[in-house]
Amino acid sequence: MVMKKTKQHQSYDMKHFAQLIWQLGTSTKTNAKIDALANYFAEAKQKDISWLIALFTGRRPKRTISAAHLQQWCIELTQHPRWLFDECYHTVGDLAETIALLLPPPEGESTQSSLADILASLKLVSTQNDEAKKQFILQHWQSMNTRERFVFNKLITGGFRIGISQKTMVNALAKFTQLDPAIIAHRISGQWDPSTTTPEQLLNEEIQQTDISKPYPFYLAYAIEGMPEHPDEWMAEWKWDGIRGQLIKRNRQFYVWSRGEELMTEKFPEYNALAEKLPDGTVLDGEIIPSIEQTPLSFNLLQTRIGRKNLTKKQLQEVPVTFFAFDLLEWQGQDIRTTPLAERRRILSSLIHSLNEPALILSKEVPFQSWQQLEQVRMHSRDNGAEGLMIKRLSSTYQTGRKKGDWWKWKIDPLVIDAVMIYAQKGHGRRSNLYTDYTFAVRSDDQLITFTKAYSGLTDQEIAQVDAFVKKNSLEKFGPVRTVKPELVFEIAFEGIAESKRHKSGVALRFPRINRWRKDKTVDDINTLEDLKKMLEQFG
Amino acid sequence: MSLLKFHTSGIYCEQGNFFIDPWVPVDYALITHAHSDHARAGSKKYLCHTYTKPLLQYRLGEGIYETTEWNQPLYINGVKVSFHPAGHIIGSSQIRVEYKGEVWVVSGDYKIENDGISGAFEPITCHHFITESTFGLPIYNWLPQQKIFEEIQQWVMQNHSRQQTSVLIAYSLGKAQRLLPCLQQTGLPIYAHGAVYNIHQTLINSGHTLPMIFPITKETSPKEFAGNIIIAPSSALDSPWIRKFTPYSVGICSGWMQVRGHQRRRNADAGFALSDHCDWKGLLQAINATRAEQVYVTHGFQSVFSRYLNEQNIQASEVITNYGNEEDETASIV
């Protein structure tokens, strides 16, 4: 018996779920969150627990009612003008919460439904007409308080990222079941349907339904904190900028999983040959990368390709995808994650060699004698289409989640450019009602040309200062975006630069963020469009 | 020519030659209430409500402070001036100004719910009404005070049962005193940060009756306040001072807590949407009651709120002022 005996209160309903979500969303202490979750596991109905696990690991229910409809019905109910609704939304930064705050107080009986009941009825209503959907929503709104409405709306609009990470969820389950977090992380991964899977089925090894597509939890690295001793105990390889993924072949079935736990098999027809040739009982870890003749292309190209519903021949020709494999997690049907890395790589290398498929290559080792020498090699990362190096201990096992000690990222310094802020928009989540999303421009003769947006990178105090500046110096008042006096200069850091026809500047940046506020510079000191073009030539 | 003007130094009455809540030193300043964004130091002479005077003396230092009671008209250079309760904090007043039949009301900051300590807001009929709009969006709807007090009491008792100290973040003038009757009912001793305690003493010394609180000094032993209640201003939140109360739980009392994002970025364990300002409905109710021909909307969501009023056929325009930087609100955006 994996799950502890549960009391299964019949009265455990939406109210308790809303209460839990509220606690998770506002508590500042991870332990308090884990306790709140463990408490819920002990008290709630089995079906609700399955859904809770699903929601917090990115398995959201299919959207059955559009956000636009929710907005419209809220506006009808409150009789506020649409522009006022929009202003509220820009201030709150969350649609579900905006609606919950605007609705008139509840009338009549409060809801008795459980989380699973509501999700089941949401599924049922999906096939009905708009009028029936509307009645369904209004009825539920009327029986709920603000917090319940917020959670209810969130279930409909999706994007259930409230308060806890997948890691916290895993730790809470581990605490409750007394199992190792790594085992939990593995069992809750892959494909499963919360409406048909009980927590018992999910977590208990004996009765766990065999899911042959199930990926292993990815081992992730932290940024290096200082070079370790004994360089001869380590290996280095390029750190690629693609989509981290696992290739899985079991029972003659083939799956491609991304790190975001998305099944992407259909997106990469290039791997079809591998589906045939890979031996059963094999799981590879690596990077999905657009490349020609083993040379990576810009990540931007992959992003546009992923975005398309149907792939054209032209795209397959222009942006072919390769799998740069760097680890072997399962071999001949055995989980070999505890086998030392050197041995895993040896098998991997011979496997790839024997397959001889252009879509699958080995992510090559970068040889080195000393850290100093490796540092020299690292300088050439961009020339190799990489964003730095990965350092891995040869004896390391394949661990679960982000761990320190055996694997490290050693990235190159970002590219930087000085730019002026010219638009600002209010943020979301904990940045609600603050101007935190900025658009930046460089100079081109006497014009300012926008080239990127950036969000993160400032301290809370700096954000407050910029927010005050925006409020005092904005030229346009309504709507989400404010045009601001071009005065504040920031250093923008980014990982790469590519040509883009969609942007006025002609360039698109990879991972742009604010590096620092250049209070020492004025708008006359910023970089020019020409500087950007030069960077494109050199690094694009 | 209008009776009150929005001057670069504040709201100015040329006929009476006085300012209301000026943000630079002037000859004669009429003060709505003692919060620092409305009452600034350096003016030659002040006029305020009797309750406000000791607070100004404490905050701005000695000076010439004339006082008046609510609903007692007086004349300044022929202009009829009277103070009326605004319900915001102790002593807070709306200032009514009348000359040749034209009536203006400067409301300062106000709320219409009677909190039992600040005086009940009095609606005044006027031609021109100057209103704040701190919470001028319909997402801001307050629960009745009693209901929020019950939530706070529950939270405090829950912390107490876990032997955690409840640190309530509240503005030292206004919210801190308003909380006391609620906290007193828990039967737990109440401790206060120096800023809260000093205001408390100032009020006691000028004759107000308030529940007992204890100052926290260097000598106060951590055993004393363990599991009990501490009231502190928001500046204490990010300071080392708060750490000596570990284990503690932080609850912020502010209208901004209505929105989750605000609460999350403040790193509060709990947020209570308890405000000394009107919510959306309160603002509309107050404005309707004045039957004003013209409304001037200041600090807050002034552009949104004045647009809404205009669409409701209430003539309104927005005015940029230097108000709206009460301690708790500046801190809340950080």
Side-chain angles (χ1 to χ4, degrees):
Chain A
M1 187 73 186
V2 171
M3 298 295 283
K4 280 186 199 161
K5 215 159 72 190
T6 57
K7 291 180 215 155
Q8 291 222 28
H9 285 214
Q10 285 312 305
S11 62
Y12 236 68
D13 56 24
M14 213 31 203
K15 273 196 259 346
H16 298 88
F17 182 66
Q19 184 61 31
L20 171 72
I21 297 304
W22 198 263
Q23 278 177 311
L24 295 177
T26 55
S27 174
T28 56
K29 291 157 191 116
T30 309
N31 278 337
K33 292 180 188 190
I34 289 178
D35 287 346
L37 281 168
N39 192 40
Y40 189 85
F41 294 145
E43 300 281 342
K45 294 174 196 163
Q46 298 293 299
K47 276 192 167 172
D48 289 4
I49 296 173
S50 291
W51 269 112
L52 178 73
I53 298 170
L55 290 170
F56 280 104
T57 51
R59 288 167 185 78
R60 64 170 189 223
K62 222 168 135 189
R63 188 177 284 204
T64 54
I65 293 169
S66 75
H69 270 139
L70 290 186
Q71 261 180 69
Q72 188 194 322
W73 300 332
C74 171
I75 286 170
E76 282 175 28
L77 216 60
T78 58
Q79 301 194 333
H80 290 312
R82 175 164 284 275
W83 68 264
L84 185 60
F85 180 93
D86 291 341
E87 286 293 331
C88 292
Y89 178 31
H90 301 320
T91 296
V92 176
D94 182 296
L95 185 69
E97 188 179 1
T98 307
I99 293 173
L101 289 171
L102 284 174
L103 292 171
E107 287 165 24
E109 292 277 300
S110 74
T111 182
Q112 304 284 326
S113 314
S114 73
L115 172 63
D117 293 343
I118 284 187
L119 286 160
S121 47
L122 262 174
K123 199 172 170 185
L124 281 178
V125 85
S126 69
T127 54
Q128 298 181 353
N129 63 23
D130 285 354
E131 192 47 41
K133 286 179 179 171
K134 182 176 169 182
Q135 287 317 313
F136 173 84
I137 294 292
L138 296 192
Q139 230 171 35
H140 279 81
W141 278 347
Q142 226 146 58
S143 65
M144 292 177 175
N145 67 24
T146 306
R147 287 177 190 184
E148 291 156 13
R149 284 167 176 171
F150 164 66
V151 171
F152 175 69
N153 293 345
K154 269 282 177 210
L155 291 174
I156 298 167
T157 57
F160 222 82
R161 277 171 306 183
I162 299 167
I164 61 165
S165 60
Q166 180 153 346
K167 192 172 170 179
T168 308
M169 171 58 80
V170 165
N171 287 339
L173 278 171
K175 183 174 178 181
F176 183 67
T177 58
Q178 307 283 315
L179 285 170
D180 188 68
I183 294 174
I184 298 282
H186 189 203
R187 291 196 183 150
I188 65 171
S189 66
Q191 284 173 303
W192 54 276
D193 181 354
S195 61
T196 54
T197 312
T198 66
E200 189 88 35
Q201 285 165 335
L202 188 64
L203 298 171
N204 191 325
E205 192 182 19
E206 282 134 48
I207 56 168
Q208 195 186 24
Q209 292 166 334
T210 41
D211 168 15
I212 56 160
S213 82
K214 199 181 274 293
Y216 291 98
F218 286 85
Y219 181 10
L220 308 171
Y222 277 97
I224 197 155
E225 294 163 348
M227 302 318 294
E229 287 176 38
H230 311 298
D232 54 318
E233 290 173 8
W234 294 76
M235 65 157 287
E237 60 184 308
W238 295 115
K239 184 180 186 316
W240 303 111
D241 183 18
I243 297 173
R244 179 84 179 270
Q246 281 179 33
L247 302 187
I248 296 174
K249 173 83 181 281
R250 289 177 189 131
N251 287 7
R252 274 164 294 162
Q253 299 288 313
F254 177 70
Y255 305 94
V256 181
W257 283 96
S258 76
R259 206 196 100 193
E261 288 214 13
E262 222 180 318
L263 199 49
M264 304 182 91
T265 320
E266 311 304 325
K267 296 268 182 194
F268 309 110
E270 287 94 336
Y271 299 159
N272 283 348
L274 295 172
E276 291 294 317
K277 283 196 176 175
L278 273 176
D280 264 330
T282 306
V283 178
L284 302 172
D285 183 16
E287 201 86 5
I288 299 161
I289 296 178
S291 71
I292 290 176
E293 311 238 323
Q294 311 209 356
T295 306
L297 307 169
S298 155
F299 182 79
N300 248 22
L301 296 169
L302 181 58
Q303 260 176 337
T304 31
R305 198 186 124 162
I306 296 286
R308 299 285 161 87
K309 270 221 167 93
N310 297 306
L311 286 168
T312 62
K313 236 190 195 142
K314 190 164 163 250
Q315 277 173 324
L316 287 172
Q317 251 163 26
E318 284 176 1
V319 194
V321 160
T322 313
F323 193 77
F324 284 52
F326 47 68
D327 216 320
L328 184 65
L329 313 185
E330 186 174 308
W331 178 239
Q332 296 174 339
Q334 296 297 312
D335 175 357
I336 60 162
R337 291 177 296 162
T338 51
T339 307
L341 173 66
E343 176 63 10
R344 298 199 308 270
R345 292 263 321 189
R346 195 189 58 72
I347 309 172
L348 177 68
S349 169
S350 69
L351 168 67
I352 291 173
H353 189 76
S354 69
L355 288 178
N356 192 25
E357 269 301 320
L360 175 65
I361 61 173
L362 181 70
S363 174
K364 277 200 211 69
E365 208 173 313
V366 178
F368 66 97
Q369 297 301 322
S370 67
W371 295 128
Q372 287 83 351
Q373 190 209 342
L374 191 60
E375 186 156 19
Q376 292 301 313
V377 178
R378 177 173 152 266
M379 303 286 190
H380 300 286
S381 297
R382 279 206 180 89
D383 306 336
N384 285 282
E387 52 181 16
L389 291 166
M390 288 297 304
I391 312 291
K392 296 175 178 174
R393 196 191 293 274
L394 286 163
S395 62
S396 62
T397 60
Y398 190 92
Q399 298 170 45
T400 298
R402 205 174 286 283
K403 294 277 158 58
K404 290 188 178 186
D406 284 346
W407 285 22
W408 298 103
K409 296 190 274 199
W410 195 14
K411 285 173 77 164
I412 37 175
D413 296 333
L415 300 165
V416 292
I417 196 155
D418 290 332
V420 69
M421 173 178 69
I422 64 169
Y423 304 121
Q425 195 169 347
K426 285 179 179 175
H428 299 272
R430 68 185 292 276
R431 293 166 158 204
S432 88
N433 200 19
L434 282 180
Y435 286 96
T436 55
D437 302 358
Y438 316 126
T439 303
F440 296 93
V442 284
R443 224 153 20 85
S444 171
D445 299 323
D446 54 351
Q447 276 190 311
L448 291 172
I449 307 288
T450 60
F451 69 103
T452 192
K453 276 186 165 197
Y455 310 87
S456 59
L458 294 179
T459 64
D460 284 355
Q461 205 170 8
E462 285 172 328
I463 287 176
Q465 287 172 18
V466 177
D467 179 70
F469 174 86
V470 172
K471 281 171 183 157
K472 277 226 162 95
N473 294 282
S474 56
L475 311 168
E476 175 66 39
K477 293 222 175 92
F478 291 108
V481 180
R482 291 207 180 180
T483 313
V484 203
K485 206 161 113 195
E487 194 175 304
L488 305 188
V489 176
F490 298 87
E491 184 179 89
I492 307 298
F494 50 99
E495 296 303 318
I497 183 165
E499 198 178 356
S500 162
K501 294 198 175 73
R502 280 195 318 193
H503 297 83
K504 208 170 161 189
S505 60
V507 299
L509 306 186
R510 178 104 171 106
F511 286 138
R513 71 260 181 197
I514 300 168
N515 221 23
R516 57 188 166 136
W517 187 350
R518 297 298 306 253
K519 290 186 179 171
D520 55 326
K521 291 200 170 183
T522 72
V523 65
D524 296 327
D525 305 322
I526 62 173
N527 282 102
T528 60
L529 189 59
E530 206 172 312
D531 297 333
L532 264 182
K533 292 261 158 80
K534 273 187 203 148
M535 284 179 157
L536 180 63
E537 242 168 70
Q538 198 183 346
F539 304 112
Chain B
M1 202 192 69
S2 70
L3 181 56
L4 293 186
K5 278 188 195 159
F6 297 97
H7 189 272
T8 48
S9 308
I11 300 169
Y12 180 55
C13 178
E14 193 171 339
Q15 186 62 40
N17 194 24
F18 59 82
F19 282 86
I20 298 174
D21 293 353
W23 42 83
V24 295
V26 297
D27 286 346
Y28 195 19
L30 278 54
I31 300 296
T32 59
H33 66 289
H35 276 154
S36 55
D37 58 328
H38 290 259
R40 295 173 202 250
S43 287
K44 285 186 187 149
K45 193 170 69 167
Y46 294 90
L47 172 64
C48 61
H49 186 266
T50 321
Y51 291 162
T52 304
K53 180 179 169 183
L55 296 166
L56 294 186
Q57 283 172 316
Y58 169 68
R59 292 198 142 177
L60 311 182
E62 283 309 319
I64 305 170
Y65 298 106
E66 298 171 353
T67 62
T68 178
E69 300 294 322
W70 286 320
N71 280 300
Q72 302 240 322
L74 49 95
Y75 288 85
I76 305 172
N77 299 323
V79 177
K80 185 180 173 187
V81 173
S82 54
F83 283 51
H84 306 264
H88 177 56
I89 59 168
I90 289 179
S92 68
S93 306
Q94 310 175 72
I95 300 178
R96 182 187 185 277
V97 180
E98 179 181 352
Y99 185 69
K100 290 189 177 165
E102 183 179 326
V103 180
W104 288 63
V105 170
V106 179
S107 57
D109 292 336
Y110 65 100
K111 70 169 176 290
I112 56 171
E113 183 182 29
N114 185 354
D115 64 11
I117 188 166
S118 310
F121 175 87
E122 179 190 323
I124 310 159
T125 310
C126 59
H127 302 104
H128 299 263
F129 186 63
I130 303 176
T131 182
E132 55 140 323
S133 59
T134 309
F135 292 108
L137 278 184
I139 51 172
Y140 298 110
N141 290 299
W142 312 146
L143 292 172
Q145 171 169 292
Q146 189 48 41
K147 191 117 188 166
I148 303 173
F149 278 3
E150 283 162 18
E151 280 183 25
I152 295 175
Q153 286 164 349
Q154 266 174 24
W155 179 77
V156 165
M157 292 321 288
Q158 193 189 339
N159 291 335
H160 179 73
S161 69
R162 295 175 182 162
Q163 307 201 331
Q164 283 186 342
T165 305
S166 300
V167 179
L168 282 158
I169 301 296
Y171 194 34
S172 53
L173 169 57
K175 202 79 56 75
Q177 294 81 47
R178 186 178 169 193
L179 280 172
L180 292 178
C182 153
L183 298 175
Q184 195 183 25
Q185 285 175 15
T186 65
L188 299 174
I190 305 164
Y191 291 82
H193 180 276
V196 174
Y197 188 74
N198 289 343
I199 293 283
H200 190 87
Q201 288 309 105
T202 305
L203 289 166
I204 298 264
N205 293 341
S206 54
H208 292 274
T209 313
L210 293 170
M212 182 149 83
I213 61 173
F214 305 99
I216 296 172
T217 64
K218 284 192 184 111
E219 288 76 44
T220 319
S221 145
K223 278 187 196 141
E224 275 190 54
F225 41 67
N228 295 326
I229 302 166
I230 292 170
I231 306 178
S234 61
S235 56
L237 246 189
D238 307 309
S239 74
W241 178 84
I242 201 168
R243 281 184 220 132
K244 69 174 171 187
F245 308 120
T246 309
Y248 63 89
S249 200
V250 173
I252 298 181
C253 304
S254 159
W256 298 110
M257 294 300 111
Q258 182 88 338
V259 174
R260 290 171 70 249
H262 253 103
Q263 191 175 326
R264 280 166 58 208
R265 73 166 164 270
R266 297 296 307 277
N267 261 337
D269 298 299
F272 303 102
L274 180 75
S275 179
D276 283 327
H277 296 269
C278 280
D279 64 2
W280 168 262
K281 289 194 186 108
L283 286 169
L284 294 175
Q285 188 187 326
I287 287 164
N288 278 317
T290 65
R291 299 203 303 250
E293 292 158 9
Q294 173 73 40
V295 176
Y296 302 91
V297 184
T298 69
H299 58 301
F301 291 97
Q302 63 265 21
S303 53
V304 175
F305 194 57
S306 52
R307 177 177 174 182
Y308 182 81
L309 290 178
N310 280 311
E311 289 186 6
Q312 305 299 307
N313 293 318
I314 298 170
Q315 205 169 314
S317 55
E318 66 174 297
V319 179
I320 304 294
T321 62
N322 282 10
Y323 309 132
N325 281 315
E326 279 172 22
E327 269 168 41
D328 58 346
E329 277 143 40
T330 357
S332 74
I333 41 181
V334 171

